[in-house]
Structure formats: C-alpha cells, structure tokens
C-alpha cells in the first residue's frame, strides 16, 4: 500500500467541526487516510461538546488540540493531499500557500458551537455536524482516488461538499 492521503480540515476556531472531522478521518480512514485540523484563529481549546460526543461514540480524543494553520505551512510541515474548509468564514479568508499544492474544497457545515438552548438541543447540533461529516468523509474514502486526475478529484470533493446525509 502507498502512503496515506493527508487531509487538513480548516475552521476559524479549530474547536468543534474541524476537530470532529480529524477524529472521524483517523478513526474510519484506516491506513488510507490521515486527518489533521487547524484554524486561522484557533480558540486554543476544544469545545467540550465535541469532546463529549467523540468520547460517547468511542472515538479516541488523545492528541486532539486546537492549533493554528501556520503549523502546516512551514518546510517541516506534513505535506497535505487535501485541504477542506468546513466553515464559510475560513473559506473566505486568504489562506496560506500550502506545501505540495494540495487539492482544496469547501464543505460548509453548520457550527454546533454557535448553538444555544437546552443541553439536548446543543447535543443534537453536535450530532448533526458529526453525521454530516461522517457521511462526507465516507464518500471521500469510497473514491478510487488513484483512478482520478487532479481536476476530477477536485470536482468530486466539491460535489461531496454539497451532499447531505440521508435522514
């Protein structure tokens, strides 16, 4: 088997959605995919709702942390194959130049960290984000990437970003 595909998930704060995506990718990606996450303006902490949800479904949380996207831009940075923005704000920000010229896509996912209300309401928002991300990451993992050229892969990633999980 060849090296795993590296995916960097970006949000502004890197505290909820991108953390969930990193954990999902690393749990379900097996040896084929490796997930990372970062933010343009990292919160410096993971949202407790994200940690609680990941723990409740048995996904490992050790090693997860809120960090700047600057960690992935230097000469010694892990080279990414894909950069996927998950929040509209991060998608609109000027991004750094990424080593290796990875394929980029935007997968808008509502921010569960911005939901207020009862604990049940907030938990449902995190569950919905998790469901959307699991569905999209599953679609990505099902692609035969080795059979696609750069443009076709970019097109498929954009299409996955428009998908919604079956209710």
């Amino acid at each position: 088997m060849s090296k795993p595909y590296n995916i960097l998930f970006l949000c502004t704060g890197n505290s909820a959605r991108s953390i969930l995506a990193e954990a999902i990718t690393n749990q379900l990606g097996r040896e084929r995919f490796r997930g990372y996450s970062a933010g343009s303006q990292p919160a410096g902490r993971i949202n407790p709702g994200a940690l609680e949800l990941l723990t409740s479904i048995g996904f490992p949380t050790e090693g997860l942390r809120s960090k700047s996207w600057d960690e992935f831009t230097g000469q010694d940075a892990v080279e990414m194959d894909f950069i996927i923005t998950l929040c509209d704000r991060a998608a609109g920000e000027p991004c750094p130049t990424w080593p290796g010229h990875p394929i980029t896509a935007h997968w808008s996912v509502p921010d569960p960290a911005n939901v207020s209300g009862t604990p049940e309401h907030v938990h449902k928002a995190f569950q919905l984000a998790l469901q959307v991300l699991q569905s999209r990451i599953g679609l990505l993992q099902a692609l035969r990437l080795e059979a696609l050229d750069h443009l076709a892969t970019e097109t498929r990633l954009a299409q996955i970003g428009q998908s919604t999980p079956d209710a």
Side-chain angles (χ1 to χ4, degrees):
M1 169 153 170
S2 61
K3 74 170 190 75
Y5 292 102
N6 291 320
I7 307 170
L8 178 60
F9 295 96
L10 298 175
C11 279
T12 303
N14 187 221
S15 69
R17 292 167 289 183
S18 52
I19 294 288
L20 292 173
E22 176 182 357
I24 292 165
T25 300
N26 291 332
Q27 181 69 16
L28 304 179
R30 316 244 186 289
E31 294 85 36
R32 192 164 174 239
F33 291 91
R34 178 78 180 110
Y36 299 87
S37 68
S40 59
Q41 300 169 25
R45 66 171 184 79
I46 299 175
N47 184 290
L51 284 176
E52 289 171 18
L53 181 58
L54 291 170
T55 300
S56 75
I57 61 173
F59 281 26
T61 59
E62 57 275 351
L64 295 176
R65 62 185 178 86
S66 177
K67 58 204 155 297
S68 172
W69 63 15
D70 293 339
E71 289 189 25
F72 298 94
T73 61
Q75 265 187 317
D76 297 331
V78 174
E79 192 171 298
M80 295 298 151
D81 298 293
F82 305 102
I83 307 283
I84 300 174
T85 54
L86 300 175
C87 71
D88 297 332
R89 185 170 164 198
E93 293 176 339
C95 288
T97 301
W98 306 107
H101 307 288
I103 295 171
T104 61
H106 177 59
W107 294 357
S108 184
V109 177
D111 189 358
N114 286 339
V115 173
S116 58
T118 65
E120 294 79 19
H121 187 72
V122 172
H123 183 72
K124 282 186 182 187
F126 275 94
Q127 285 180 312
L128 176 61
L130 180 83
Q131 182 182 10
V132 167
L133 289 165
Q134 281 182 308
S135 174
R136 291 178 182 174
I137 291 166
L139 290 169
L140 170 60
Q141 292 174 346
L143 289 177
R144 289 187 46 232
L145 295 168
E146 60 283 350
L148 299 174
D149 65 19
H150 187 92
L151 182 59
T153 303
E154 197 167 58
T155 300
R156 288 296 298 137
L157 278 179
Q159 291 169 340
I160 289 170
Q162 301 301 312
S163 70
T164 55
D166 297 331

